[in-house]
Amino acid sequence: MAEEQVTAVGNEMSASFLAAKKRSDETMAALKENPDKFTMLTGDRPTGRLHLGHYFGSIRERVAMQNLGVNTNIIIADYQVITDRDTTEHIEDNVLNLVLDYVAAGIDPNKTMIYTHSAVPAENQLMLPFLSLVTEAELHRNPTVKSEMEASGHALTGLLLTYPVHQACDILFCKANVVPIGKDNLPHVEITRTIARRFNERYAKKHPVFPEPSAILSEAPEIPGLDGRKMSKSYGNSIMLGATAEETAKLIKKSRTDSERKVTYDPVNRPEVSALLTTAGLVTGRDPKDIAEEIGDAGAGALKAYVTKSVNEFLAPHRERRAELAKDMDTIRDILHDGNKRANEIAEQTLDEVREAMGMKY
Ligand code: TRP
C-alpha cells in the first residue's frame, strides 16, 4: 500500500509493460481454466487504512481468486513500512485493521493465509542467497525504488535499495506463480522472475525450486481521489472502507468542485467533478457519463448527495461486518497467528529445499 503509488514504470506503452500486460492476460485466462494450479501471493504495507481505491484495485480481485479456488496468500509487509520512513508508530493498529478490512471484504482466513512479514524468519533467510543473485547496478536501476526514495526525502537506505529482493522472498517462499500488483510494483516482480531463474540455473537445474511468477495487473480503472488526484491518505482525498457514513458524507461535502453548474464527465478539464462521477460509477456499476447526464443542471450539490448516498450504501455491509468483527479482536489476532504459523511451516520447507539445492545440508 504505497501511500502515494508512484507511477514509476513510466510509459505504459513501453515494451516491457506491454509484455507484462500480455503475460498477465494469458495467465488470468489459464487461471480461470485451472485455478487449482495457481498460488497467489500479494499484500499491503501496513501504513494506514484501506480505502476505496484499494478495494477496487486489489481487494475485490483477491476475494475473486480465493473464491475461484486459487491457493491465496496475503502478506502484511510490516518491514516494508521502514523502507522509506523511520518510525513504526501505529503499526500494530494498522496491521489489525488490515485484517479487519480483509475479512470484512470477503477474505476467508480458512482459505487465504494472512501473515506478517516479520513473523517468518525462514522467509527472511532467503534474502542471503537471493542477494547473491542480483548486482548492485540492477538494484540501482529499479525505477520504483528511485521514485520512492525521492518521494521520501530520505537518503537511500540499504533496506529501500534491497526491498525488491525481500519482496522476491515474500513471493517465492510460498512458490507463488501469480502476483496481483499495481504497475508501480512491476519492477519488483521482474526482479523476482530473474532471481527465480538464476537460482534454478545456478543450483537447481534438474529440479527447479522456484517458479517464475507472473504479475497480474488489475483491470479496474484507477479510482481517483475526491480532488481528482491519486487517492492517497496523505492528500486527505480518500474514502476509507472503515470510515463512518457521517465521516464519508463530510469528506464528500467538503470536496472541491468547479464553478460550472452543469455536471459533465470530463476527467481532463474537470478532474474534481469527474472524480466524484467515477467514484459513483464504480460503487453503482453505472457509467459515469449517464450519472452526469441524469444530474445535469442540478449541479454539484446534487452530485455530492448522489455520491454520498451511493458510496455509503455500497460500503454499508462492509462496515457492518467490520464493526461486528472488531468486537472480538482476539479472533482477529488468532487469524494472524494461524497465518503466521502456516507461513513458517511453508518457509521452513522452502528453505530446506534451498539448502538441499545448495549442498548445505550437513
Ligand atoms: N510492495 C507492495 C506495496 O507497496 C506490498 C507488498 C509486499 C507486496 N510484499 C509483496 C505485493 C509481495 C506483492 C507481492 O503495496
Side-chain angles (χ1 to χ4, degrees), residues 130 133-134 165 168 172 191-200:
F130 285 5
L133 299 169
V134 292
V165 186
L172 294 177
I191 202 121
T192 303
R193 294 171 60 80
T194 303
I195 287 171
R197 190 169 58 245
R198 288 183 186 160
F199 185 92
N200 292 338

Side-chain angles (χ1 to χ4, degrees), residues 1-3 5 41-45 62 75-77 80 117 148 163 166-168 170-171 179-181 184-185 188-189:
M1 184 165 56
E3 217 172 276
Q5 284 193 353
L41 182 123
T42 188
D44 301 292
R45 303 186 205 199
R62 297 177 192 174
I75 179 172
I76 299 180
Q80 275 196 14
H117 187 183
E148 287 195 7
Y163 118 67
H166 53 83
Q167 190 151 325
D170 303 341
I171 295 166
V179 188
I181 42 146
D184 60 316
N185 269 254
H188 314 338
V189 179

Side-chain angles (χ1 to χ4, degrees), residues 279-291:
T279 305
L282 273 167
V283 296
T284 56
R286 297 181 64 193
D287 186 332
K289 288 194 204 76
D290 293 342
I291 301 172

Side-chain angles (χ1 to χ4, degrees), residues 39-66:
T39 296
M40 177 211 88
L41 182 123
T42 188
D44 301 292
R45 303 186 205 199
T47 53
R49 301 283 186 273
L50 294 178
H51 52 58
L52 266 186
H54 297 119
Y55 181 78
F56 287 107
S58 59
I59 307 296
R60 186 173 62 165
E61 292 181 5
R62 297 177 192 174
V63 174
M65 279 199 197
Q66 165 195 279

